[in-house]
């Protein structure tokens, strides 16, 4: 049921009946395939129970359920989370930001392009080198990736944009300036 499909009452009853059979077999030495099927059936039934609970929930209850870490994970597992993956990923970055700032770095949510989240990572460590240098930069980037993907597993990956890549270049080559000046008088003629 992880695809978000709902179960009608007869389907729930059939799963519960099959689950009872499997549990009886497992008690008397059933095999691993039956154990796996049991877990799948339980997941389907619990997912349907969550969906039915959410059907009658008001906005305040939905907010509380979505804000609870354990319940949020269950909602994501069953494709029932009321918030889009982009918002969940953004909140995950917001939750990490104070800890990164405590260590002299910073995070900035840049959004989602396709199914890739983008986060500017400045891990501190001097010169805004982001994840590219200094001790711990890669650690910050990995924590950001893991946290964002845990909150929004629908996303394919997380791109950590270092501070340098997020800013326009500050250096303009002198040759570029002199070439442009030389071209301007010719255009005026």
């Amino acid at each position: 049921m992880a695809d978000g499909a709902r179960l009608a009452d007869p389907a729930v009853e059939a799963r519960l009946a099959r689950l009872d059979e499997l549990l009886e077999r497992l008690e008397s030495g059933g095999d691993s395939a039956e154990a796996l099927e049991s877990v799948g059936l339980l997941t389907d039934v619990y997912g349907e129970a969550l969906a039915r609970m959410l059907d009658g929930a008001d906005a305040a209850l939905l907010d509380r359920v979505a804000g609870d870490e354990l319940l949020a994970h269950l909602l994501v597992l069953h494709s029932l989370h009321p918030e889009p993956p982009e918002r969940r990923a953004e909140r995950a970055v917001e939750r990490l930001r104070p800890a990164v700032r405590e260590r002299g770095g910073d995070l900035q949510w840049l959004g989602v392009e396709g199914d890739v989240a983008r986060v500017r990572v400045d891990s501190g460590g001097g010169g805004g080198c982001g994840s590219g240098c200094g001790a711990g930069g890669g650690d910050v980037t990995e924590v950001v990736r893991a946290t964002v993907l845990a909150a929004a597993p629908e996303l394919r990956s997380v791109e950590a944009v270092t501070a340098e890549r997020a800013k326009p270049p500050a250096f303009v080559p002198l040759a570029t300036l002199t070439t442009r000046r030389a071209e301007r008088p010719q255009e005026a003629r």
Side-chain angles (χ1 to χ4, degrees):
M1 194 173 123
D3 62 0
R6 298 292 303 269
L7 296 175
D9 285 341
V12 171
E13 291 169 10
R15 282 172 170 74
L16 289 173
R18 176 69 179 142
L19 184 60
D20 284 341
E21 290 174 26
L22 290 170
L23 292 175
E24 283 180 27
R25 285 181 163 161
L26 288 173
E27 285 178 359
S28 61
D31 63 20
S32 62
E34 290 172 329
L36 288 173
E37 185 181 353
S38 297
V39 170
L41 292 170
L42 278 172
T43 302
D44 287 350
V45 171
Y46 287 161
E48 180 60 27
L50 279 171
R52 289 181 185 191
M53 180 199 63
L54 293 177
D55 286 345
D58 61 13
L61 179 58
L62 279 175
D63 285 344
R64 284 196 318 269
V65 169
D68 181 281
E69 189 174 353
L70 175 60
L71 293 175
H73 284 291
L74 288 173
L75 295 176
V76 167
L77 174 70
H78 295 287
S79 301
L80 296 171
H81 203 290
E83 291 181 329
E86 295 83 4
R87 178 65 189 127
R88 286 183 271 130
E90 181 180 9
R91 277 192 304 111
V93 170
E94 289 169 6
R95 282 193 309 269
L96 282 177
R97 198 169 191 210
V100 173
R101 281 183 164 177
E102 253 179 40
R103 290 162 181 79
D106 201 5
L107 299 175
Q108 180 184 2
W109 174 250
L110 299 175
V112 173
E113 292 178 12
D115 57 359
V116 178
R118 297 184 72 238
V119 180
R120 184 182 63 78
V121 178
D122 176 4
S123 63
C129 65
S131 62
C133 62
D139 294 342
V140 170
T141 299
E142 189 50 43
V143 168
V144 169
R145 278 190 180 107
T147 302
V148 167
L149 293 176
E154 303 92 329
L155 299 175
R156 183 176 45 87
S157 65
V158 178
E159 178 185 354
V161 179
T162 61
E164 289 87 34
R165 287 177 47 202
K167 296 178 188 175
F171 175 75
V172 178
L174 184 59
T176 305
L177 296 175
T178 57
T179 304
R180 288 185 185 155
R181 285 188 187 160
E183 291 173 358
R184 284 188 185 153
Q186 293 171 356
E187 293 172 10
R189 291 184 193 165

